[in-house]
């Protein structure tokens, strides 16, 4: 993944949460399942897991590029939940596309 591409994938996650009121385990489970099944997040779980890992290390803001009802701290907490949910679904199916 090129140096800054991770931010675009994190923004996709943030955009996917615009109409989600509660950033809880249930929301993280739904999103992780959508990533694994490539329903809404076509890049697949490997790409999003890598982007989440980069975001977790990033010291700057993650919610600065999109209008969102969720604050920075709450979004970061959600990314932690999402990382756990993705990890729980391993091994991910390999795809040829």
């Amino acid at each position: 993944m090129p140096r800054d591409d991770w931010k675009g994938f994190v923004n996709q996650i943030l955009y996917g949460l615009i109409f989600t009121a509660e950033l809880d385990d249930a929301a993280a489970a739904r999103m992780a399942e959508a990533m694994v099944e490539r329903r809404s997040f076509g890049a697949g779980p490997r790409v999003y897991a890598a982007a989440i890992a980069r975001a977790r290390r990033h010291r700057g803001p993650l919610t600065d590029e999109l209008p969102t009802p969720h604050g920075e701290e709450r979004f970061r907490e959600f990314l932690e939940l999402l990382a756990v949910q993705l990890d729980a679904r391993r091994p991910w199916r390999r795809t040829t596309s």
Side-chain angles (χ1 to χ4, degrees):
M1 168 180 322
R3 172 167 270 171
D4 294 333
D5 280 0
W6 66 270
K7 184 74 180 218
F9 292 110
V10 170
N11 282 342
Q12 288 176 26
I13 294 168
L14 185 59
Y15 183 80
L17 297 170
I18 288 176
F19 298 109
T20 303
E22 293 296 321
L23 301 186
D24 55 12
D25 274 323
R30 284 190 305 271
M31 186 171 279
E33 201 60 35
M35 288 175 176
V36 169
E37 294 178 3
R38 294 175 184 254
R39 279 184 277 135
S40 313
F41 297 88
R46 282 176 187 77
V47 171
Y48 292 101
I52 291 167
R54 295 279 302 271
R56 291 163 77 187
R57 292 189 303 268
H58 183 64
R59 297 291 179 209
L62 300 175
T63 59
D64 60 326
E65 295 180 6
L66 292 174
T68 176
H70 308 295
E72 180 74 22
E73 184 177 335
R74 190 63 196 114
F75 181 60
R76 285 182 175 275
E77 291 169 359
F78 180 80
L79 289 178
E80 296 293 327
L81 296 174
L82 183 55
V84 169
Q85 289 289 336
L86 280 172
D87 208 36
R89 286 162 174 74
R90 288 180 189 259
W92 301 315
R93 295 183 302 266
R94 290 194 177 265
T95 61
T96 57
S97 55

